[in-house]
Amino acid sequence: MIDITRPIACITGMGSAVPEGRLTNAELEKTLDTTDEWITDRTGIRCRHIARPDESMLSYTLKAAHQAMEQAGVTAADLDGIVFATVTPDRRLPSVACDLQAALGAKPAWAFDLVAACPGWVYALSVAEGMMATGLGETILVVGAEKLSMITDRDDRNTAILFGDGAGAGVLRRVRPGEDRGILATYLGADGDLADLLYIPGGGAADPFTEEVLRERRHYMKMAGREVFKAAVLAMSRSSDEAIRRAGMPPESIDLLVPHQANLRIIEAAAKHAGIPMSKVFCNLDRYGNTSSASIPLALTQAQAEGVLKPGMIVMLAAFGAGFTWGSVVLRW
Ligand code: UT7
C-alpha cells in the first residue's frame, strides 16, 4: 500500500430523494406468501419506496443532487466531475451520469457510471477521492441511485420484500489548508467466485433479451438469501476491521457507523464484530428497505437531518453486495 497524506477530500453537502410510491409489508402480504411479522423479524424492513414504471431514476436523483449542491454551496459550474454508482441506469447507453450532467447543466464536467452493486457509493467515494488526488477535480458529485423495482421479481418473496428505490448524493471537495475533516481511510474488496449468489442471468450481452428471457423471468435478480447473508456478515466484518486498522484508531473512536441498509440482523452482527454498540449505528432500512448504492448516502442525509450526524464526528461507512463486493470508509465529518 502506498502512503498518502490524508485528508485530501471531504464531503460538504448531502442530499437524498425517493419516489413517492410506497410499498408496505401489509401490501406485500396481499400478493405474496409472507407476513408483516416475518419480514419485520427477519429483516427489520417495514416499508420501501417504489417508482412508477414510467418514472425515471434521473427524476428523483436530480432532487438529491440539487439538495447536496445547495448544502455544499456549489453550483453546476463548480462541478469538475460526476461519479454515478448504479446497477439500474435509465438506459444502457450513454451513462446516466451524462444525463445527470446535462440535466444539471454541469458541462464540461467529466461523468461516468460505476457498477459495484450495494457498496457502489463507497466505491464511488473512493474513486472520486483518487481522482482528486491525481488532479482530476476539486469538486466532484458522488451519486448512488437505483430503481431496483425494475429488476425485482414481485412474485419472488425472497427478494421482493427487501428492495426499494431511491437516490443519494454527496459533494466531495478538496480539503482546504487548516481544515480538520475528510476521508481518513478507505478499503475496497471483491470476490468474483461468489457472483452467482446474487445476479441477473439474462438480458446482458451473453444472454441477450428474447421472449424466452422474459417468459422465464431471467431479467430479474436471483438471490441465494441464506448464503448472501453469511457472506455479507463476513464481508462487513472484514471491511470494518480493515477500515479501522487503516485509520489507525481503536473501534471506540468510531462515533457513528452508517452501514449498508440490507438487513438489521446483518447490521447487528457486523456492529457486534466491530465492537460498536447499536446506539452508535444509524439505521433507516425500516422505511426504505435495501436501496443498494443509494442506501448509505440516503442514511447519511437522514442522519444529518435528524441531528445524529454532527461535525467533527468520526464516521465509518461499511457495505457489501453482489459481485461479491465490499468496502468501507472512515472519515471525520
Ligand atoms: O445487498 C445485498 C442484498 N441481499 C441481502 O442482503 C440478503 C441477505 N439475506 C437475507 O437478508 C435473508 O437471508 C433473507 C431475508 C432473504 C431470508 O431470511 P432467512 O432468515 O435467511 O430465511 P431463510 O432463507 O433461511 O428461510 C427460512 C424460512 C424458510 O422456510 P422453511 O424452509 O424453514 O420452512 C423459507 O422458505 O423462511 C421462509 N421464507 C419466508 N417466509 C415468509 C423465506 N422468505 C420468506 C418470506 N416470508 N418472505
Side-chain angles (χ1 to χ4, degrees):
M1 204 170 50
I2 303 165
D3 268 346
I4 53 165
T5 307
R6 279 188 162 119
I8 297 163
C10 59
I11 297 171
T12 55
M14 289 297 308
S16 69
V18 290
E20 269 179 32
R22 293 169 82 244
L23 180 64
T24 61
N25 290 353
E27 282 161 304
L28 284 170
E29 278 183 346
K30 292 180 200 155
T31 56
L32 290 171
D33 179 16
T34 191
T35 59
D36 171 35
E37 192 190 358
W38 193 96
I39 302 171
T40 309
D41 284 356
R42 296 291 185 130
T43 71
I45 301 168
R46 293 173 186 276
C47 180
R48 326 97 195 107
H49 285 254
I50 302 291
R52 296 185 315 273
D54 67 345
E55 190 173 5
S56 74
M57 185 178 71
L58 186 64
S59 61
Y60 46 89
T61 303
L62 255 179
K63 290 183 195 162
H66 279 303
Q67 194 184 327
M69 287 161 64
E70 192 182 321
Q71 193 180 96
V74 302
T75 65
D78 297 318
L79 296 181
D80 299 309
I82 298 172
V83 191
F84 198 131
T86 187
V87 294
T88 53
D90 283 334
R91 49 185 179 177
R92 305 278 299 280
L93 195 75
S95 68
V96 66
C98 283
D99 288 334
L100 179 63
Q101 189 244 40
L104 289 171
K107 275 187 270 187
W110 47 258
F112 65 91
D113 290 0
L114 181 155
V115 180
C118 300
W121 198 74
V122 169
Y123 265 63
L125 203 58
S126 310
V127 167
E129 187 206 23
M131 295 184 85
M132 211 170 270
T134 52
L136 277 163
E138 298 289 308
T139 308
I140 299 173
L141 186 64
V142 184
V143 182
E146 306 288 359
K147 189 177 172 184
L148 295 176
S149 52
M150 282 298 99
I151 56 168
T152 304
D153 187 343
R154 289 278 144 234
D155 293 342
D156 175 11
R157 70 175 180 171
N158 200 25
T159 51
I161 59 161
L162 297 178
F163 298 103
D165 300 334
V171 172
L172 194 71
R173 80 144 164 77
R174 185 177 293 281
V175 167
R176 293 177 183 143
E179 255 183 339
D180 187 19
R181 61 169 166 168
I183 296 175
L184 303 173
T186 54
Y187 166 64
L188 304 177
D191 181 353
D193 282 341
L194 301 181
D196 288 356
L197 293 188
L198 178 51
Y199 75 123
I200 298 176
D207 184 15
F209 258 113
T210 56
E211 280 179 26
E212 196 190 331
V213 167
L214 289 173
R215 200 171 46 247
E216 293 178 356
R217 304 172 93 79
R218 297 210 303 272
H219 57 303
Y220 286 133
M221 267 186 283
K222 311 289 173 204
M223 184 180 78
R226 215 173 294 185
E227 285 69 29
V228 171
F229 190 100
K230 285 184 217 148
V233 173
L234 283 176
M236 289 285 269
S237 302
R238 190 170 167 186
S239 286
S240 333
D241 288 352
E242 195 54 33
I244 288 172
R245 191 185 70 76
R246 290 184 183 196
M249 47 179 62
E252 306 83 76
S253 310
I254 304 294
D255 297 309
L256 189 67
L257 169 63
V258 181
H260 170 44
Q261 308 286 311
N263 183 318
L264 189 57
R265 290 187 296 139
I266 295 175
I267 294 173
E268 285 169 346
K272 189 173 172 197
H273 172 92
I276 298 172
M278 283 305 285
S279 56
K280 288 184 173 184
V281 181
F282 187 80
C283 292
N284 65 356
L285 82 171
D286 55 324
R287 287 161 275 179
Y288 302 108
N290 180 348
T291 56
S292 191
S293 62
S295 114
I296 287 184
L298 200 57
L300 275 175
T301 309
Q302 199 154 17
Q304 201 182 33
E306 290 177 10
V308 177
L309 171 59
K310 299 186 198 92
M313 275 187 160
I314 299 291
V315 182
M316 180 160 73
L317 317 176
F320 67 92
F324 229 69
T325 50
W326 57 84
S328 48
V329 169
V330 173
L331 47 93
R332 188 185 300 277
W333 197 253

